[in-house]
């Protein structure tokens, strides 16, 4: 029985991960925009840089977004970027609690890139006096721009999730509405990811440890009519590859999602090890597969994970920071399930203090 079982396991992992190319394929993948911030603890101010990877694989000159949109004081908690209707949209959530000269509040900053490539000044689309906004994720859902953030606590150790949509007719954001809450300790949800499909569905996944019980990775879907499905723990289908001996024992450090056609690809990173799963069109999840088995990077080699769907060919680009060299690496999962070898981004700003946050967006 051992041989058939081993073959079955290989078949499942191959379905998720595919195989790796010895060299990157030459197929065009469209524009890819890289955004990253430096890491200065909570001293600030924060710089954000933009890189453009052209379809032929070359990179445009690096742009310092904050030289145009303005610097943001305090601690940059998260970045998110989406390209929609020909424009790039950038979000930054900031916390000024560690800045003695800043107001004591958290804010969600937003800028939509101009047609000429310049960046207008940040606008604040959500402010939370006395609180931080640890997580922001944005997604294109059809022709709509959606954003989800972790909201203020409601009662002791209760974390909320808030959602808004940008009204393109007016350019205004609809009022943020709470759609989920977690009555457990403040580290839940600890991570969050979102992806939108062309059919009008918004998928949100949150990961966190409740006050008691096992780790959860909860998934919900927002329908075009505005209703949300019940949060469901997907770990029963995907498996829980991390164990109590992992460092840290509570699992992922980074969670990202991307829609490739009607499928949702979900990836998490735990101290350099990346796992990948797919939600198929039938709504079921495949088991998590360890990407290092097919892409070659070993434990502790990659962190600050990000992913984007490449619309031209139905490909998935996965990016991260290669820890030993502090440079940017990326790989592409092709529509046939194969993976390219990891490639360096030649314009990684190694001269800055450190790479604090990284997001990639295509279009």
């Amino acid at each position: 029985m051992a041989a058939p079982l081993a073959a079955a396991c290989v078949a499942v992992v191959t379905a998720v991960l595919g195989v790796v190319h010895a060299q990157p394929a030459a197929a065009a993948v469209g524009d890819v925009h890289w955004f990253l911030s430096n890491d200065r603890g909570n001293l600030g101010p924060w710089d954000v840089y933009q890189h453009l990877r052209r379809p032929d694989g070359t990179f445009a000159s690096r742009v310092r977004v904050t030289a145009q949109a303005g610097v943001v004081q305090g601690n940059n908690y998260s970045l998110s970027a989406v390209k929609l209707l020909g424009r790039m949209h950038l979000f930054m959530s900031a916390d000024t609690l560690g800045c003695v000269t800043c107001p004591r509040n958290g804010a969600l900053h937003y800028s939509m890139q101009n047609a000429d490539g310049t960046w207008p000044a940040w606008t604040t689309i959500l402010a939370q006096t006395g609180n931080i906004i640890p997580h922001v994720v944005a997604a294109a859902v059809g022709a709509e721009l959606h954003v989800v953030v972790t909201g203020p606590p409601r009662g002791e150790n209760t974390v909320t999730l808030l959602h808004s949509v940008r009204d393109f007719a007016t350019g205004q954001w609809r009022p943020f509405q709470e759609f989920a809450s977690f009555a457990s300790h403040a580290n839940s949800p600890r991570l969050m990811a979102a992806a939108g499909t062309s059919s009008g569905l918004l998928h949100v996944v949150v990961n966190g440890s409740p006050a008691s019980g096992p780790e959860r990775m909860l998934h919900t879907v927002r329908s075009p009519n505005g209703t949300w499905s019940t949060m469901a723990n997907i770990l029963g289908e995907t498996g829980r590859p991390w164990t109590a001996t992992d460092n840290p024992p509570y699992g992922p450090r980074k969670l990202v999602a991307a829609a490739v056609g009607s499928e949702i690809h979900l990836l998490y990173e735990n101290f350099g090890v990346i796992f990948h799963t797919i939600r198929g069109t039938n709504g079921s999840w495949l088991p998590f597969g360890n990407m290092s088995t097919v892409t070659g990077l070993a434990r502790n080699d990659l962190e600050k994970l990000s992913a984007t769907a490449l619309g031209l060919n139905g490909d998935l680009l996965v990016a991260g920071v290669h820890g030993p060299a502090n440079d940017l690496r990326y790989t592409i999962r092709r529509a046939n399930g194969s993976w390219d070898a990891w490639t360096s981004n030649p314009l990684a700003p190694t001269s800055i203090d450190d790479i604090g946050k990284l997001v990639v967006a295509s279009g």
Side-chain angles (χ1 to χ4, degrees):
M1 294 295 292
L5 179 59
C9 292
V10 170
V12 170
V13 172
T14 302
V16 179
L17 295 176
V19 296
V20 65
H21 290 304
Q23 295 294 331
V29 295
D31 287 338
V32 181
H33 296 260
W34 302 61
F35 294 92
L36 54 95
S37 64
N38 58 349
D39 188 355
R40 294 175 177 165
N42 54 8
L43 300 178
W46 284 85
D47 283 324
V48 178
Y49 298 90
Q50 179 187 18
H51 306 252
L52 170 63
R53 180 188 186 274
R54 304 184 184 94
D56 63 2
T58 61
F59 284 83
S61 299
R62 188 173 71 219
V63 174
R64 181 171 168 248
V65 175
T66 42
Q68 302 170 19
V71 297
V72 176
Q73 296 288 339
N75 192 2
N76 164 220
Y77 262 78
S78 63
L79 290 173
S80 190
V82 177
K83 189 167 188 182
L84 180 62
L85 301 179
R87 296 291 183 90
M88 187 60 65
H89 304 261
L90 184 62
F91 302 82
M92 174 192 287
S93 69
D95 150 43
T96 57
L97 294 176
C99 177
V100 295
T101 62
C102 303
R104 295 296 189 266
N105 60 18
L108 178 60
H109 304 281
Y110 166 71
S111 182
M112 181 177 70
Q113 192 172 21
N114 294 319
D116 63 0
T118 59
W119 289 91
W122 297 104
T123 59
T124 300
I125 62 174
L126 179 65
Q128 296 178 178
T129 303
N131 293 284
I132 63 176
I133 303 175
H135 305 293
V136 54
V137 288
V141 183
E144 292 183 335
L145 181 61
H146 292 242
V147 63
V148 176
V149 302
T150 46
R154 191 185 63 240
E156 185 177 1
N157 294 333
T158 298
V159 178
T160 58
L161 295 183
L162 307 178
H163 166 264
S164 180
V165 181
R166 187 178 188 273
D167 188 337
F168 275 89
T170 63
Q172 302 299 311
W173 289 89
R174 300 172 191 170
F176 278 83
Q177 300 291 329
E178 178 185 329
F179 68 93
S181 63
F182 299 82
S184 56
H185 67 70
N187 284 334
S188 180
R190 198 168 52 82
L191 300 171
M192 183 168 58
T197 66
S198 58
S199 60
L201 300 178
L202 174 66
H203 294 258
V204 177
V205 179
V206 294
N207 169 248
S209 302
S212 61
E215 183 102 359
R216 298 175 301 179
M217 193 170 285
L218 304 177
H219 169 252
T220 182
V221 181
R222 183 185 185 272
S223 298
N225 63 5
T227 60
W228 293 86
S229 66
T230 302
M231 285 273 188
N233 189 353
I234 68 173
L235 294 181
E237 293 184 75
T238 64
R240 184 180 183 271
W242 62 94
T243 68
T245 60
D246 285 342
N247 183 19
Y250 44 76
R253 295 191 307 175
K254 181 71 176 179
L255 186 70
V256 295
V260 180
S262 56
E263 295 180 337
I264 299 297
H265 291 245
L266 184 68
L267 304 99
Y268 77 81
E269 176 266 332
N270 180 20
F271 275 70
V273 180
I274 302 175
F275 293 88
H276 167 246
T277 184
I278 302 172
R279 183 184 188 269
T281 55
N282 63 356
S284 62
W285 294 86
L286 291 173
F288 273 116
N290 187 336
M291 279 182 58
S292 65
T293 62
V294 295
T295 56
L297 285 183
R299 187 177 182 88
N300 296 324
D301 271 0
L302 202 74
E303 56 184 11
K304 297 178 176 65
L305 183 66
S306 186
T308 187
L310 299 172
L312 289 181
N313 304 305
D315 298 328
L316 174 74
L317 181 139
V318 179
V321 177
H322 186 234
N326 193 36
D327 66 341
L328 303 181
R329 301 283 181 92
Y330 66 93
T331 181
I332 296 174
R333 183 186 189 274
R334 302 296 176 176
N336 64 4
S338 63
W339 292 85
D340 290 355
W342 287 97
T343 303
S344 293
N345 177 340
L347 295 180
T350 54
S351 60
I352 67 175
D353 297 354
D354 194 6
I355 299 174
K357 300 292 187 295
L358 167 69
V359 294
V360 291
S362 61

